[in-house]
Amino acid sequence: MSRLDSFIRRMVAQRACLDAAARLIDDVPGAILELGLGNGRTYDHLRTLFPSREIFVFDRQIAAHPDCIPDDGHMFLGEVIDRLPDAAARLGKSVALVHSDIGSGRPETDAILFGRLVPLLGDLVCPGGLVLSDQALPADRWQPLPLPDGVAAERYFMYRVGG
Amino acid sequence: MSRLDSFIRRMVAQRACLDAAARLIDDVPGAILELGLGNGRTYDHLRTLFPSREIFVFDRQIAAHPDCIPDDGHMFLGEVIDRLPDAAARLGKSVALVHSDIGSGRPETDAILFGRLVPLLGDLVCPGGLVLSDQALPADRWQPLPLPDGVAAERYFMYRVGG
């Protein structure tokens, strides 16, 4: 399998998980968090899925397509880990869905990052809310959810946050 | 349709066209040119499709994954338009397939670029060879080929270069 093949699989898996999450939180009110704006494609998909919800985006800097940049009131610039407490202070435990795509690809760095990420998200996600991630998170107290049809195990990760 | 949707469609179309091209040039010997290395995913796919052919890559600079960088003898660094004559001097009309992904997205700039690109490729591609492009090329003397199943018209472009 080429890198093009695996990239397409990952993008298709991401979209399938986002679309499934939209159905799963249909009766869970609350905001959406996108960790890692990147080029803004996923943010644009979230806008399409959740036209009536607030979407807050986190990234070190803005490198997205001009059409895919949130207004200043919905952007937390800086290290995601440093800005999540600010979001918690402002939003409280009112988030229905988090999509995380902030791994560095370096396992040791990511283990530290994700270890800090999970409790910070615990302060933001409401009971019944979901966390989606392109990499496994050390979240023993969250319920792993089955992936949508066609998405192989460990290609993406969906968690339900308990009450 | 979100930008994520259209990006997935474009990547899937690209792969389908490359895979179809591999079958179409099965009995056309010659090298492969990749115009625009980018992150190297497409180059990696070309390596998988054509393990026994020489693949030459053109880009302004190398920004690809370290595993997806050709050796110096197969890399033409600089403006693609400036380096194609060097390739023609070295390779002659011995190229079986060109994949072009070098558009800027600015129509006026691209019209000039593609207008210069077509005759330069004419000096490289052998009779019966193919040119694939993510954008239409002003190539009146090349035969447009039907796209693979599932790829909508004008999502990708395949041309057969005449004798």
Side-chain angles (χ1 to χ4, degrees):
Chain A
M1 185 163 65
S2 72
R3 282 179 183 272
L4 180 61
D5 291 321
S6 67
F7 181 69
I8 289 172
R9 282 198 187 190
R10 201 163 72 241
M11 290 293 99
V12 168
Q14 179 189 91
R15 181 177 58 181
C17 290
L18 292 170
D19 293 354
R23 292 186 295 272
L24 288 167
I25 62 162
D26 204 32
D27 57 0
V28 181
I32 313 293
L33 305 190
E34 162 78 339
L35 310 187
L37 175 61
N39 51 47
R41 282 185 210 115
T42 312
Y43 171 64
D44 191 50
H45 199 71
L46 289 168
R47 284 194 300 201
T48 309
L49 287 175
F50 304 106
S52 60
R53 298 197 194 223
E54 285 202 288
I55 306 175
F56 297 92
V57 174
F58 296 69
D59 211 336
R60 284 198 188 109
Q61 63 213 358
I62 295 175
H65 188 284
D67 291 344
C68 300
I69 298 173
D71 61 61
D72 290 349
H74 292 83
M75 186 83 216
F76 288 89
L77 275 178
E79 294 296 326
V80 173
I81 289 294
D82 296 336
R83 299 308 314 275
L84 282 172
D86 300 328
R90 187 166 139 201
L91 304 174
K93 230 172 178 168
S94 71
V95 169
L97 172 66
V98 178
H99 175 249
S100 169
D101 188 10
I102 57 168
S104 66
R106 296 186 297 274
E108 289 178 22
T109 310
D110 284 346
I112 297 167
L113 174 68
F114 295 156
R116 294 179 64 194
L117 180 66
V118 169
L120 290 170
L121 292 181
D123 291 337
L124 277 157
V125 181
C126 66
L130 300 186
V131 176
L132 268 58
S133 173
D134 66 330
Q135 291 176 64
L137 297 178
D140 300 337
R141 299 173 65 185
W142 298 348
Q143 179 197 356
L145 295 182
L147 297 170
D149 284 349
V151 180
E154 312 232 315
R155 192 170 294 148
Y156 231 79
F157 298 87
M158 298 176 68
Y159 303 96
R160 173 86 75 176
V161 176
Chain B
M1 186 162 65
S2 71
R3 282 180 182 270
L4 180 61
D5 290 321
S6 68
F7 181 69
I8 289 172
R9 282 198 187 190
R10 200 164 71 239
M11 291 293 99
V12 168
Q14 180 190 90
R15 180 177 58 182
C17 291
L18 292 169
D19 294 355
R23 293 186 295 273
L24 288 167
I25 62 163
D26 203 32
D27 56 0
V28 181
I32 313 292
L33 305 190
E34 162 78 339
L35 310 188
L37 176 61
N39 52 48
R41 281 185 211 116
T42 311
Y43 171 65
D44 191 51
H45 198 72
L46 288 168
R47 284 194 302 201
T48 309
L49 287 175
F50 304 106
S52 61
R53 297 199 194 222
E54 285 203 288
I55 305 175
F56 296 91
V57 174
F58 296 69
D59 211 336
R60 286 199 188 109
Q61 62 212 358
I62 295 176
H65 188 283
D67 290 345
C68 300
I69 298 173
D71 62 61
D72 290 350
H74 292 84
M75 185 83 218
F76 288 88
L77 276 178
E79 293 295 325
V80 173
I81 289 294
D82 296 337
R83 298 308 313 276
L84 282 171
D86 301 329
R90 186 165 141 203
L91 305 174
K93 231 173 176 164
S94 72
V95 168
L97 173 66
V98 178
H99 175 249
S100 170
D101 187 11
I102 57 168
S104 67
R106 295 186 295 275
E108 289 178 21
T109 309
D110 284 346
I112 297 167
L113 174 69
F114 296 155
R116 295 179 63 194
L117 180 66
V118 168
L120 290 169
L121 292 181
D123 291 337
L124 278 156
V125 181
C126 67
L130 300 186
V131 177
L132 268 57
S133 172
D134 65 329
Q135 291 175 66
L137 297 178
D140 299 338
R141 299 173 63 185
W142 298 348
Q143 178 197 357
L145 295 181
L147 297 170
D149 284 348
V151 179
E154 312 232 313
R155 193 171 294 151
Y156 231 78
F157 298 87
M158 297 177 67
Y159 302 97
R160 174 87 74 178
V161 176

